[in-house]
Amino acid sequence: MANLGSSTVMLTGAGGALATAIAQELEDAGAQMVLVGRGDALERAADRFPATEVIDVDLTQESSVEDLRKVKVDILVHTVGTFAMQDAQKATTEDYRRMFDANMLSLFHAVQGVLPHMLRQKDGLILGVSAGQAARMSGPKAALYTASKAALSAYVLSLHDELKAKGVRGMVLYPMGAIDTPANRDDGLKWETMIDPRGLAKSVAHALTRPDRAHVTELKVYPDEEK
């Protein structure tokens, strides 16, 4: 089991399927947690997991930056995001804004919130959850989703290149398939071909504890082959 006993981790999207699995790994690894989310999902997470801080905030709003700057964290694990399939010709400007706000702007605000403290202490790690489509740079009926997740990946990797000399590293997680969630099962996806969020969470916990000279910058996790 990874040991994060000396770390405070901010987990965004608290209450979501992947965030819940990651929170369990963080608790098992002894990390202090700052849970960031919205409404009932955040309440359920706060009831289930011990946290030093619970922050109910909309990360697509610029005001969220100041809320996050009130806490000091060593690691940011950002799981906030959305997905939608659509024909490219039917996409609207509102679709664009909704997708990029959820998948990219939320991360930008989260980073702006945690980065000042990380730079002051000359140590920090920022993990963003991208997508298999972004890793392949393509995805039918998912142009806006793929583009927004590719933007997330480029942003985190650029942060890593810029800030690693100052002690702040970046990491991108690529689930190379659909995550096994109630919503995806409702959409008719077979659980045998989806990625278990608990497996993703264990991969994250392992990657978070790698030393500087063995840092994982990009992590691709695949589902089992279709049976």
Side-chain angles (χ1 to χ4, degrees):
M1 173 62 64
N3 186 348
L4 294 169
S6 61
S7 299
T8 299
V9 183
M10 177 179 288
L11 178 62
T12 70
L18 178 56
T20 297
I22 292 174
Q24 185 61 67
E25 289 297 316
L26 294 176
E27 181 182 21
D28 292 346
Q32 300 293 312
M33 277 185 277
V34 174
L35 299 177
V36 179
R38 300 302 308 279
D40 293 342
L42 177 61
E43 287 187 18
R44 289 192 296 271
D47 288 342
R48 180 171 176 179
F49 300 105
T52 58
E53 298 280 349
V54 177
I55 304 174
D56 191 331
V57 69
D58 181 354
L59 288 174
T60 67
Q61 300 299 311
E62 187 175 2
S63 59
S64 65
V65 174
E66 290 305 319
D67 291 323
L68 300 190
R69 285 183 177 174
K70 296 175 183 177
V71 298
K72 297 178 180 180
V73 300
D74 306 297
I75 299 170
L76 168 66
V77 177
H78 184 75
T79 74
V80 173
T82 191
F83 171 78
M85 295 186 68
Q86 60 192 179
D87 293 332
Q89 65 182 9
K90 296 180 180 178
T92 66
T93 301
E94 183 58 33
D95 292 330
Y96 170 87
R97 288 173 178 155
R98 181 166 53 248
M99 194 67 69
F100 274 78
D101 281 1
N103 292 337
M104 181 59 223
L105 185 60
S106 65
L107 171 63
F108 174 74
H109 286 155
V111 170
Q112 293 302 305
V114 303
L115 195 54
H117 171 69
M118 290 182 177
L119 290 173
R120 282 195 297 270
Q121 70 179 10
K122 299 181 180 180
D123 185 52
L125 194 155
I126 294 165
L127 184 149
V129 180
S130 187
Q133 289 97 322
R136 296 187 291 266
M137 295 301 289
S138 65
K141 292 186 178 292
L144 289 179
Y145 174 71
T146 300
S148 63
K149 286 294 191 178
L152 178 151
S153 301
Y155 179 66
V156 172
L157 295 176
S158 294
L159 285 176
H160 176 75
D161 287 344
E162 179 182 345
L163 301 176
K164 61 185 178 182
K166 299 179 180 180
V168 179
R169 295 166 293 152
M171 184 186 306
V172 181
L173 171 68
Y174 297 96
M176 301 300 291
I179 300 175
D180 188 357
T181 66
N184 283 337
R185 291 199 182 200
D186 288 343
D187 286 341
L189 297 179
K190 297 179 181 179
W191 71 267
E192 297 96 334
T193 64
M194 292 191 285
I195 303 175
D196 186 345
R198 294 171 298 181
L200 276 171
K202 290 183 182 299
S203 297
V204 167
H206 173 77
L208 291 181
T209 60
R210 297 309 87 201
D212 290 349
R213 294 183 65 188
H215 176 64
V216 177
T217 307
E218 296 181 90
L219 177 63
K220 297 179 181 180
V221 181
Y222 292 82
D224 290 338
E225 293 294 329
E226 186 172 357
K227 297 181 175 65

